[in-house]
Amino acid sequence: MYVFGLTGGIGSGKSAAAEAFRALGVDVLDADKVARDVVGIGSDALKQISQHFGSNILNSDQSLNRARLRTIIFTTPDEKKWLEKLLHPLIRNNIEVQLSKGLKPYQILESPLLLETNQADLVQKIIVVDVDKDIQIERASQRDGVTRGDITAIIDSQMPRAQRLRRADFIINNNGAPADLKRQVLDIHHQLVAIAQAETKNNA
């Protein structure tokens, strides 16, 4: 099974690209969803997080207060390292299990941390959704209802744009309209099908 990675910074349109691939019948595994499942109510990981940060890290329904946790890890690097050490192996293992069930010519692993973690080892090619920083800040601040300053701080904490682009095998430029993004996804889809089919023949 051929697996391609899909990533991009906050507000880049990565999720929109993932939906465009899904509309073409491609299986897309969302690493963010896997990460949410790993810390679901009653999970061992959530219990460890609660013990480490205190019970006020939980909502009244005992689910994780993500906003509170996000504030802590963005302002305290050591706490971020602790959390990553706990969660990244669990998330990777879950991703590996789900990818192993794929039956179609290729799958996509959609992950904002694809290049910042060892998740990149799970894919054969990397697709980066790219957008100019001003557009990125505007879209993300409107979508999330937060200030431009907050979005800028998140961007600055992520992998630099130039470094992300250097790792890309395919680049989707999302500065334009949604129809343009879908056109680029369709073009890349045809290329990915060809790559996966060629690989299958070589391994036959």
Side-chain angles (χ1 to χ4, degrees):
M1 170 59 66
Y2 223 88
V3 182
F4 300 97
L6 175 66
T7 193
I10 184 172
S12 63
K14 171 180 57 64
S15 296
E19 284 305 313
F21 276 108
R22 287 190 181 97
L24 296 171
V26 179
D27 286 338
V28 181
L29 178 58
D30 183 354
D32 271 349
K33 183 180 184 304
V34 173
R36 290 192 295 271
D37 292 344
V38 164
V39 293
I41 295 175
S43 66
D44 289 339
L46 185 58
K47 291 176 183 176
Q48 292 184 58
I49 291 171
S50 177
Q51 290 171 357
H52 182 82
F53 292 104
S55 58
N56 65 344
I57 204 69
L58 302 178
N59 295 312
S60 59
D61 65 354
Q62 299 304 299
S63 64
L64 179 63
N65 187 317
R66 298 177 184 282
R68 193 170 297 157
L69 181 62
R70 189 182 304 116
T71 298
I72 293 172
I73 64 174
F74 271 124
T75 56
T76 315
D78 286 345
E79 297 291 21
K80 181 180 180 181
K81 291 179 181 177
W82 180 90
L83 188 67
E84 289 175 343
K85 185 177 180 180
L86 170 67
L87 295 183
H88 285 180
L90 297 174
I91 293 169
R92 181 188 172 99
N93 182 67
N94 193 304
I95 288 173
E96 288 180 327
V97 170
Q98 294 196 46
L99 289 176
S100 69
K101 299 176 182 178
L103 298 174
K104 295 185 178 179
Y106 77 87
Q107 298 177 80
I108 283 182
L109 172 59
E110 173 197 359
S111 175
L113 296 177
L114 183 76
L115 301 178
E116 289 89 340
T117 67
N118 60 6
Q119 292 175 15
D121 299 338
L122 300 174
V123 306
Q124 284 74 46
K125 300 284 185 181
I126 294 169
I127 309 162
V128 169
V129 184
D130 183 57
V131 67
D132 289 345
K133 187 174 182 179
D134 288 345
I135 298 175
Q136 183 181 16
I137 294 171
E138 183 66 25
R139 288 177 179 169
S141 60
Q142 288 183 358
R143 180 196 65 191
D144 298 341
V146 296
T147 67
R148 294 173 65 90
D150 288 341
I151 297 300
T152 300
I154 293 174
I155 291 173
D156 291 342
S157 74
Q158 295 180 329
M159 176 177 286
R161 179 185 180 189
Q163 185 178 350
R164 188 185 297 118
L165 290 174
R166 283 197 297 271
R167 298 283 302 276
D169 297 291
F170 301 92
I171 297 173
I172 296 174
N173 183 309
N174 194 27
N175 287 327
D180 187 44
L181 179 142
K182 291 179 180 178
R183 178 191 59 77
Q184 293 178 73
V185 166
L186 179 60
D187 179 60
I188 291 174
H189 170 65
H190 291 315
Q191 296 181 61
L192 300 188
V193 168
I195 291 172
Q197 289 176 341
E199 183 69 16
T200 299
K201 289 180 180 178
N202 289 337
N203 292 333

